[in-house]
Amino acid sequence: MTPPTDPTAASPAPATPGEGDDAVVPVVGPVDAPDLHLMTYNVRRRMPQVLSTRHARADRWASRLPALRLLLEAERPSVLGIQEALPDQSAQLAEALGERYASVGTGRDRDRGGERVELHVDTTRLRIVRHESFWLSATPRVPGSHTYGNMIPRTAVHAELADLATGARLHVVVTHFDHLSARSRRHSALQLRTFTDALEGPVAVMGDFNAVVDSPAHRELTRGRLVDSREVADERLDPGWGSYSNYGPPRVGGRRLDWLLVDGAAHVERAGVGALRPGGVAPSDHDPVHAVVRWPHRPQED
């Protein structure tokens, strides 16, 4: 879920790439090996139409989906992490990405239904070796569990991937932290850091963390092997935008709630917030975060 409206989110901002253009120019687009294009995106769950809200028209899924399809067709990430997708939205996203992508994920509820966290992987570049879902709680293997103070269950999805171009292996985790409970976010960050510190090989963690950079959750996650890709990138893709724009233009100094973290061995060529508006439409109330990453070449056998 997204946080309450930021009254400063609609402040004037630089023109965004692709706004009003017929052709969508990607922020990153496809990349060649050994680089990988990682992307995380909270696509905003489909909500019942509430006509009294300020952003009711912008929030309509039927209006946003065509713009989201254009964005995905332009970007073609190697790995895409998705948050807040309902099952029907998940199917539409998979259709937009096409048959070359495989997906893994789960709904957060006890029956594994409801709002989903997912990884979509370009199978022309990467093979899914194994994957697992777990809940951010003291009982992570119990579907629907929530013990950290959050009322809504929160999940993470992990996949081990084999790079078909380099022969290397890497781990990717996508998650969505709680929007209300700071205690839950701190405990979730500790759980994820402990989990990723135990993994062998390159690691990337992405998602909507519902917390700003230098928050307790951010500090906990970057206390071990992980670093914030935007902070170590050779080139930053944005001038300091936040990732939560609430359907307005991106804003310098806005809240960067979505992060893409990588282990310290990674070389991050480019990273930052993308703010495409295909046809002038914001596909979500969040903007995606991108990173172009490569790791030292260390092939692994099956």
Side-chain angles (χ1 to χ4, degrees), residues 263-279:
D263 64 80
H267 173 235
V268 184
E269 180 187 284
R270 292 169 279 164
V273 176
L276 291 181
R277 303 287 188 270

Side-chain angles (χ1 to χ4, degrees), residues 202-235:
V203 175
V205 176
M206 59 179 74
D208 174 5
F209 296 88
N210 274 310
V212 296
V213 173
D214 205 33
S215 63
H218 188 272
R219 290 197 299 270
E220 180 62 48
L221 271 171
T222 56
R223 191 164 64 87
R225 66 187 297 186
L226 299 173
V227 296
D228 192 315
S229 62
R230 188 182 180 278
E231 295 179 2
V232 299
D234 294 343
E235 176 189 348

Side-chain angles (χ1 to χ4, degrees), residues 80-266:
L80 169 65
I82 289 292
Q83 307 90 45
E84 259 193 57
L86 294 175
D88 63 310
Q89 292 176 294
S90 171
Q92 290 169 317
L93 289 170
E95 180 184 13
L97 287 165
E99 294 182 355
R100 65 188 282 180
Y101 283 83
S103 66
V104 295
T106 189
R108 66 190 183 188
D109 298 336
R110 183 178 300 178
D111 62 356
R112 296 180 178 265
E115 190 178 294
R116 298 176 61 81
V117 169
E118 300 178 330
L119 289 169
H120 295 258
V121 178
D122 183 351
T123 60
T124 66
R125 175 64 191 277
L126 298 160
R127 176 173 60 87
I128 300 172
V129 177
R130 63 185 179 95
H131 63 90
E132 59 187 324
S133 301
F134 54 92
W135 275 254
L136 301 176
S137 76
T139 53
R141 302 302 173 184
V142 177
S145 59
H146 49 103
T147 61
Y148 294 157
N150 47 301
M151 298 302 294
I152 298 171
R154 296 293 180 176
T155 60
V157 175
H158 160 240
E160 183 179 1
L161 307 174
D163 191 327
L164 302 177
T166 67
R169 293 280 183 90
L170 67 146
H171 298 271
V172 182
V173 179
V174 62
T175 191
H176 189 186
F177 280 9
D178 194 64
H179 64 306
L180 293 177
S181 172
R183 176 176 177 268
S184 172
R185 292 191 291 270
R186 289 195 303 272
H187 281 282
S188 297
L190 175 59
Q191 180 181 343
L192 269 192
R193 184 181 63 77
T194 302
F195 177 80
T196 55
D197 281 354
L199 296 174
E200 294 185 7
V203 175
V205 176
M206 59 179 74
D208 174 5
F209 296 88
N210 274 310
V212 296
V213 173
D214 205 33
S215 63
H218 188 272
R219 290 197 299 270
E220 180 62 48
L221 271 171
T222 56
R223 191 164 64 87
R225 66 187 297 186
L226 299 173
V227 296
D228 192 315
S229 62
R230 188 182 180 278
E231 295 179 2
V232 299
D234 294 343
E235 176 189 348
R236 291 182 177 177
L237 297 171
D238 67 82
W241 290 335
S243 63
Y244 176 63
S245 58
N246 199 22
Y247 299 113
R251 184 172 67 85
V252 173
R255 291 181 292 173
R256 188 155 65 90
L257 306 179
D258 306 82
W259 319 326
L260 212 162
L261 312 177
V262 295
D263 64 80

